[in-house]
Amino acid sequence: MAMIDEPLYPIAILIDELKNEDIQLRLNSIRRLSTIARALGEERTRKELIPFLSENNDDDDEVLLAMAEELGVFIPYVGGVEYAHVLLPPLETLCTVEETCVRDKAVESLCRIGVQMKENYLVDWFVPLVKRLAAGEWFTARVSSCGLFHIAYPSAPDQLKAELRSIYSQLCQDDMPMVRRAAASNLGKFAATVEQSYLKAEIMSIFDDLTQDDQDSVRLLAVESCAALGKLLEPLDCVAHILPVIVNFSQDKSWRVRYMVANQLYELCEAVGPEPTRVDLVPAYVRLLRDNEAEVRIAAAGKVTKFCRILGPQLPIQHILPCVKELSSDSSQHVRSALASVIMGMAPVLGKDATIDQLLPIFLSLLKDEFPDVRLNIISKLDQVNQVIGIDLLSQSLLPAIVELAEDRHWRVRLAIIEYIPLLASQLGVGFFDDKLGTLCMQWLEDKVFSIRDAAANNLKRLAEEFGPEWAMQHIIPQVLDKISNPHYLYRMTILQAISLLAPVLGVDITCQKLLPVVIASSKDRVPNIKFNVAKVLQSLVPILDQSVVENTIRPCLIELSEDPDVDVRYFANQALQASDQVMMSS
Amino acid sequence: MNWNGAEDAGLPAASLPPPPPLEWKFSQVFGERTAGEEVQEVDIISAIEFDKSGDHLATGDRGGRVVLFERADVRDRGSRRDLERQDYSISRHPEFRYKTEFQSHEPEFDYLKSLEIEEKINKIRWCQTANGALFLLSTNDKTIKLWKVHEKKVKRISKMNMDDSQAIGNGSIASSSANSPRAYLPNGGCSERPYNHLSSDFLFPPGGFPSLHLPVVMCQETSLVARCRRIYAHAHDYHINSISNNSDGETFISADDLRINLWNLEISNQSFNIVDVKPANMEDLTEVITSAEFHPTHCNMLAYSSSKGSIRLIDLRQSALCDNHFKLFEEHEAPVPKSFFTEIIASISDIKFAKDGRHILSRDYMTLKLWDINMDSGPVATFQIHEYLRPKLCDLYENDSIFDKFECCLSGDGLRVATGSYNNLFRVFGCVPESTEATTLEASKNPMRRHVQNPARPARSLGSLTRVVRRGEATGVDANGNSYDFTTKLLHLAWHPTENSIACAAANSLYMYYA
């Protein structure tokens, strides 16, 4: 055993623990691989550490994942970009393990290293690696290779490029569906590096094969590359090659394929240009909006605004709006919910008249939907419509729906609507709010569910911030203070909570005149929980009130509470007294 | 054996004359009982499955164990591709040797439902092999697990920087020995480690420290390790009766009495319900799912069988919820007058797709039926398994044997089918039109002891067959014929994917035969 100098013990242990039995220690050592590398120096890192890692690769997945990640940023520790290629062998073996997340990380690290490597090094080291993986015995290696072509290809000389293209096309016909899937999902990235002439000839024929694969799971991914390829091709070629494929896909037997098309279709509109969009894509999209399968309609409905934005006002009114009308009364609540979440965005696209004539009835029917998610999705985007049609029209139709949601029997729905109230208040203004929503806000303070009462108290605070103290004095405070006489102590507690939240917003005067007397009176409550909450509220009031008020009103009350028979009341009263002492001292 | 429309059913090798009946010979037995040895309940085999190549065989038992066997007659175990290319010499029959075993499931208790969950392995399915490691799914009533079995190098590590004596000598380093207490941080890191004291301004010389070196790892031998990679749990309210891998290599299904769920192999915390036959009111329940299997090549197609004797084919492409089948296979005419037992014995206990993907084999209590998925008017062939039991259905009902779930299997070439029966018997039928092959074998070292080669008329001669069999065991049968041994039933068997070799389970013993 070599003798180790005292200061090197930590590193020596770190190195030894690369092979410890405890996985946590191994993991820790791998995460500090850069420290080990610096301690060994660049040359020994290249000659010893990296080969050591290459050989010891049958570790647990967590360790391998960490190793794959570390090696991706290891170039500085092996001596810079000239030596980057020494990092390839350990990553190559990591590309073949069966755990997908390790392979993906290894591919990611290889790409990260590859983009930094010099061209001739890429040809000498990186391209052969890609070829080896692509010819791998197990599908895992071949799957990984698919994600590396776009790095290897650009720097390769012509002959090698031809070879790489033909290897890729073979991968697209691999026996294993997993490999074909990887090839399909990486096709877009690879195609972006291929020259225009080969793009049309070779990549498109690969693409055609993938679109006719027997396995749904492969065709599904081919749809994804449609949009990517479409953007690479000239509009004319795109119309000639991609358009027929996507139109076919939109009528595929498999709902999963149609679902993918519904998600991707709008991206192609720009690639093919306006005329083919009108002639082919709009009818395809209309078909998807009326698909038999609810999942497809959900995807299509969710993209309706994006699609319309590309088309401009005319086409949607003619073709899309009728479908939207149907979808608003779709049998699946999820379809309606998806539609509700985006339909507000159509108002600016269509303009005021069309919105009032066509969209408003749809909004209304969605607002009256029996399914709360649908209604919530509409309400959360109201501001977009407000700008187009104005507040009056909106408020007439809106209010009944809000009232209904505010009284929904699911407390989560009530909670969601409470959270929108301040937003609505700012959008709709004081007048509207006073008439319609004021009473609701008070009702919530006496909800059966704590979370609702809590949210209601917070809501009052945010409203007071929005409309100012004077408004609050008139419209909130009297009603709130009335409720302190509620026979149930839990509701009285909510009022105390509301007071402590409102006090900082309303200012010293109102607090002293209106709020403080109520709090002090509550200190005589018969329920200890109220009493110690009084202590807490008083503590929170100390910093914002005048010293004289604290001295004359608050402290006597707290001292009285600190002699309460209940231990919790005494505890919180003493806490508050201590806090007030500190405030006094500092001021 | 009845043939319906066999001519246009496109059965394998329909134009060729039926192949001659196979001469079955005993090959091997694992876990043979010595005379008088009691069978332990936990040792009873409850699942058998060959992998796709036929190089491996897995069995599961009631004790939650999975035992793996590997083919022993392939000497040069080269790369997988070499093996694929290699032609096995015809003279050799598959021979297997014990490879390893592991505890797949443990008994559990569901506290919410006050339910014991048995550890019994209900099904085993092999997954795609990768990197020389074997992968398989095993399931009990509730939980499916993905196992990886691979050779792990046994490492000996030497030449550490710090040897033990040094470590003991230095108090600050003693914490590196594995058994000393450590403070782990919540993120899995380890606090209070000496190297955390390495200050950031510690200077590394450009050439590094020559005194430091990497440990030397030597591996001479390897050992076989089974690791549970994923657990797919909490998705079934009822007992899982089948699992089946999809040909896309990334998904599988699991079926219980009322639902079928679709999983991605990589994602264990969510699954999609694709079939749900649970009625709104459980009192309306008339039919349950008994078995489900993916099509061998079409990743969108799967079949499931029901307790009413029907098989439904569903297409995952049609919709996300596959409550509507696109094909229904059931026997329309009632060949015998209805009795109390008609419905019970119609229940299908197992279905298997043939390798060609065109035929489905189903097993109900009394028969094997072969269906052509292009012909939904009725089965293309029906094979009677143990017609002599028909008069005894009442007894079988009373001792619950009528609910025994027999499995069935097809040969790799699709020319023959096999299934089990009582008295440790199993039957092999030729399923090519005109084939008269109907062999009865016993799971013992002398399979042909009760072997009866059916001479001329296959279907109608079953009566004589019954008599022959009875005569064979005349000593054990009383005048009423009541003493059939319904406890020795052969429920589980599997046909080698490429050769004529059958593995079958008789209680705790695994018997293998070849022809």
Side-chain angles (χ1 to χ4, degrees), chain A residues 24 44 61 96 98-100, chain B residues 131 148 188 212 229 266:
Chain A
Q24 285 303 337
R44 289 184 65 203
D61 297 325
T96 64
E98 69 280 345
E99 185 59 41
T100 315
Chain B
N131 288 349
K148 173 188 177 185
L212 291 172
R229 300 298 306 241
E266 309 233 319

Side-chain angles (χ1 to χ4, degrees), chain A residues 408-422:
Chain A
D408 198 284
R409 62 191 179 86
H410 299 291
W411 67 268
R412 283 175 201 280
V413 175
R414 298 201 297 275
L415 186 63
I417 199 82
I418 292 175
E419 276 159 8
Y420 283 120
I421 289 291

Side-chain angles (χ1 to χ4, degrees), chain B residues 175-232:
Chain B
S175 65
S176 76
S177 65
N179 49 13
S180 68
R182 274 181 227 102
Y184 285 111
L185 296 173
N187 61 6
C190 194
S191 72
E192 307 298 329
R193 305 293 304 147
Y195 41 68
N196 285 355
H197 303 313
L198 197 64
S199 57
S200 51
D201 52 60
F202 191 85
L203 284 179
F204 293 102
F209 300 105
S211 57
L212 291 172
H213 61 85
L214 292 163
V216 176
V217 180
M218 302 201 283
C219 358
Q220 283 101 352
E221 63 225 87
T222 58
S223 76
L224 216 52
V225 185
R227 262 192 81 183
C228 181
R229 300 298 306 241
R230 304 222 199 294
I231 297 177
Y232 313 89

Side-chain angles (χ1 to χ4, degrees), chain A residues 1-22 24-25 28-29 31-32 35-36 38-44 48-50 52 55-62 96-101 103 135-142 174-178 181 214-217 219 252-256 258 292-293 295, chain B residues 52 78-81 128-133 135 148 150-153 155 157-163 166 170 172-173 175-178 182 184 187-190 193-198 200 202 204-217 219 227 229-230 246-250 262 266 274 297-300 315-321:
Chain A
M1 287 305 130
M3 289 305 288
I4 306 289
D5 299 334
E6 186 81 38
L8 289 181
Y9 282 145
I11 298 177
I13 291 170
L14 202 58
I15 294 176
D16 287 353
E17 283 177 355
L18 280 172
K19 283 289 135 202
N20 197 290
E21 276 172 33
D22 187 332
Q24 285 303 337
L25 297 182
N28 208 6
S29 284
R31 295 231 173 91
R32 312 262 317 226
T35 308
I36 295 175
R38 286 200 295 164
L40 291 173
E42 290 168 359
E43 193 181 341
R44 289 184 65 203
E48 292 174 37
L49 181 61
I50 300 297
F52 174 82
E55 281 161 26
N56 292 285
N57 54 16
D58 65 338
D59 211 326
D60 289 320
D61 297 325
E62 294 93 321
T96 64
V97 301
E98 69 280 345
E99 185 59 41
T100 315
C101 64
R103 285 204 310 267
E137 181 190 349
W138 301 99
F139 73 89
T140 48
R142 305 201 294 278
D174 199 279
D175 289 343
M176 291 286 187
M178 297 81 146
R181 277 199 292 275
D214 309 332
Q215 288 269 340
D216 277 357
S217 54
R219 287 212 311 283
D252 198 279
K253 257 198 259 173
S254 166
W255 69 269
R256 278 163 234 261
R258 298 198 304 274
N292 279 328
E293 175 57 41
E295 298 286 336
Chain B
K52 219 160 91 185
S79 71
R80 193 177 66 99
R81 283 191 167 177
Q128 195 63 52
T129 315
N131 288 349
F135 290 86
K148 173 188 177 185
H150 65 124
E151 301 268 349
K152 201 167 167 66
K153 289 178 203 152
K155 285 177 213 143
I157 295 145
S158 56
K159 290 191 78 179
M160 305 290 269
N161 286 300
M162 320 292 301
D163 65 4
Q166 237 180 333
N170 286 289
S172 65
I173 294 153
S175 65
S176 76
S177 65
R182 274 181 227 102
Y184 285 111
N187 61 6
C190 194
R193 305 293 304 147
Y195 41 68
N196 285 355
H197 303 313
L198 197 64
S200 51
F202 191 85
F204 293 102
F209 300 105
S211 57
L212 291 172
H213 61 85
L214 292 163
V216 176
V217 180
C219 358
R227 262 192 81 183
R229 300 298 306 241
R230 304 222 199 294
N246 193 351
S247 58
D248 67 9
E250 68 172 354
L262 179 70
E266 309 233 319
I274 49 173
T297 50
H298 295 308
C299 67
N300 54 294
D315 187 344
L316 295 175
R317 294 183 298 189
Q318 267 178 350
S319 69
L321 281 172

Side-chain angles (χ1 to χ4, degrees), chain A residues 155-274:
Chain A
S155 60
D158 283 349
Q159 202 184 344
L160 208 51
K161 276 184 173 172
E163 197 183 343
L164 286 173
R165 287 194 306 273
S166 95
I167 293 174
Y168 202 88
S169 112
Q170 274 163 27
L171 289 168
C172 290
Q173 294 163 30
D174 199 279
D175 289 343
M176 291 286 187
M178 297 81 146
V179 180
R180 300 203 300 277
R181 277 199 292 275
S185 55
N186 283 296
L187 185 62
K189 258 193 276 177
F190 178 49
T193 63
V194 173
E195 297 80 355
Q196 201 48 233
S197 55
Y198 298 119
L199 195 62
K200 263 198 277 178
E202 295 183 30
I203 299 295
M204 287 316 292
S205 87
I206 291 177
F207 173 71
D208 285 342
D209 288 345
L210 287 173
T211 60
Q212 283 155 31
D213 202 285
D214 309 332
Q215 288 269 340
D216 277 357
S217 54
V218 178
R219 287 212 311 283
L220 216 71
L221 294 166
V223 177
E224 278 193 333
S225 48
C226 272
L229 287 174
K231 284 171 188 161
L232 295 173
L233 289 167
E234 320 250 320
L236 267 182
D237 292 324
C238 188
V239 172
H241 296 289
I242 306 280
L243 197 62
V245 174
I246 199 94
V247 169
N248 246 334
F249 271 153
S250 75
Q251 303 171 67
D252 198 279
K253 257 198 259 173
S254 166
W255 69 269
R256 278 163 234 261
V257 172
R258 298 198 304 274
Y259 173 90
M260 295 296 266
V261 175
N263 265 325
Q264 306 263 327
L265 198 60
Y266 73 96
E267 291 190 46
L268 266 178
C269 290
E270 276 163 352
V272 296

Side-chain angles (χ1 to χ4, degrees), chain B residues 17 33-34 185 202 209 221 240 282 287 389-390 414 457:
Chain B
R33 254 180 302 161
T34 53
L185 296 173
F202 191 85
F209 300 105
E221 63 225 87
I240 299 174
M282 279 299 265
E287 191 173 16
L389 290 178
R390 208 174 273 279
R457 299 177 306 140

Side-chain angles (χ1 to χ4, degrees), chain A residues 348 352 382-391 394:
Chain A
K352 185 167 179 175
L382 273 180
D383 52 329
Q384 292 174 343
V385 194
N386 191 5
Q387 290 157 12
V388 182
I389 64 166
I391 187 71
L394 190 62

Side-chain angles (χ1 to χ4, degrees), chain B residues 33-296:
Chain B
R33 254 180 302 161
T34 53
E37 187 191 335
E38 288 258 325
V39 180
Q40 297 292 315
E41 170 82 7
V42 290
D43 292 334
I44 294 176
I45 294 173
S46 56
I48 300 184
E49 187 78 7
F50 280 105
D51 76 345
K52 219 160 91 185
S53 65
D55 289 342
H56 295 93
L57 174 68
T59 63
D61 64 25
R62 284 169 181 256
R65 280 163 302 188
V66 171
V67 184
L68 302 188
F69 301 90
E70 67 185 344
R71 202 163 163 168
D73 55 325
V74 186
R75 290 280 167 259
D76 48 336
R77 303 192 57 83
S79 71
R80 193 177 66 99
R81 283 191 167 177
D82 289 344
L83 283 181
E84 280 168 358
R85 266 183 240 117
Q86 180 183 334
D87 255 344
Y88 297 127
S89 62
I90 291 160
S91 62
R92 271 195 299 199
H93 63 269
E95 266 183 42
F96 284 79
R97 65 173 165 235
Y98 170 88
K99 186 176 171 84
T100 185
E101 68 177 82
F102 55 91
Q103 188 73 36
S104 169
H105 287 72
E106 303 273 357
E108 282 175 89
F109 192 79
D110 182 341
Y111 291 95
L112 281 179
K113 295 183 182 148
S114 281
L115 219 71
E116 260 182 76
I117 302 169
E118 279 183 59
E119 68 272 36
K120 177 188 159 216
I121 306 290
N122 287 349
K123 280 277 149 68
I124 294 175
R125 286 290 179 269
W126 291 87
C127 302
Q128 195 63 52
T129 315
N131 288 349
L134 303 171
F135 290 86
L136 52 89
L137 289 168
S138 62
T139 186
N140 65 355
D141 285 339
K142 296 284 177 192
T143 308
I144 307 152
K145 294 184 180 179
L146 175 66
W147 290 91
K148 173 188 177 185
V149 180
H150 65 124
E151 301 268 349
K152 201 167 167 66
K153 289 178 203 152
V154 180
K155 285 177 213 143
R156 279 197 39 232
I157 295 145
S158 56
K159 290 191 78 179
M160 305 290 269
N161 286 300
M162 320 292 301
D163 65 4
D164 287 347
S165 59
Q166 237 180 333
I168 291 159
N170 286 289
S172 65
I173 294 153
S175 65
S176 76
S177 65
N179 49 13
S180 68
R182 274 181 227 102
Y184 285 111
L185 296 173
N187 61 6
C190 194
S191 72
E192 307 298 329
R193 305 293 304 147
Y195 41 68
N196 285 355
H197 303 313
L198 197 64
S199 57
S200 51
D201 52 60
F202 191 85
L203 284 179
F204 293 102
F209 300 105
S211 57
L212 291 172
H213 61 85
L214 292 163
V216 176
V217 180
M218 302 201 283
C219 358
Q220 283 101 352
E221 63 225 87
T222 58
S223 76
L224 216 52
V225 185
R227 262 192 81 183
C228 181
R229 300 298 306 241
R230 304 222 199 294
I231 297 177
Y232 313 89
H234 311 303
H236 285 279
D237 286 337
Y238 305 92
H239 288 181
I240 299 174
N241 54 46
S242 12
I243 45 177
S244 173
N245 290 93
N246 193 351
S247 58
D248 67 9
E250 68 172 354
T251 55
F252 71 93
I253 48 166
S254 58
D256 67 21
D257 295 339
L258 297 177
R259 298 195 179 98
I260 301 178
N261 291 334
L262 179 70
W263 301 82
N264 187 310
L265 278 166
E266 309 233 319
I267 301 165
S268 56
N269 57 6
Q270 64 174 4
S271 70
F272 297 93
N273 180 238
I274 49 173
V275 176
D276 188 348
V277 300
K278 188 179 178 182
N281 182 356
M282 279 299 265
E283 279 166 19
D284 300 336
L285 184 69
T286 56
E287 191 173 16
V288 298
I289 299 169
T290 53
S291 171
E293 192 173 49
F294 260 118
H295 190 277

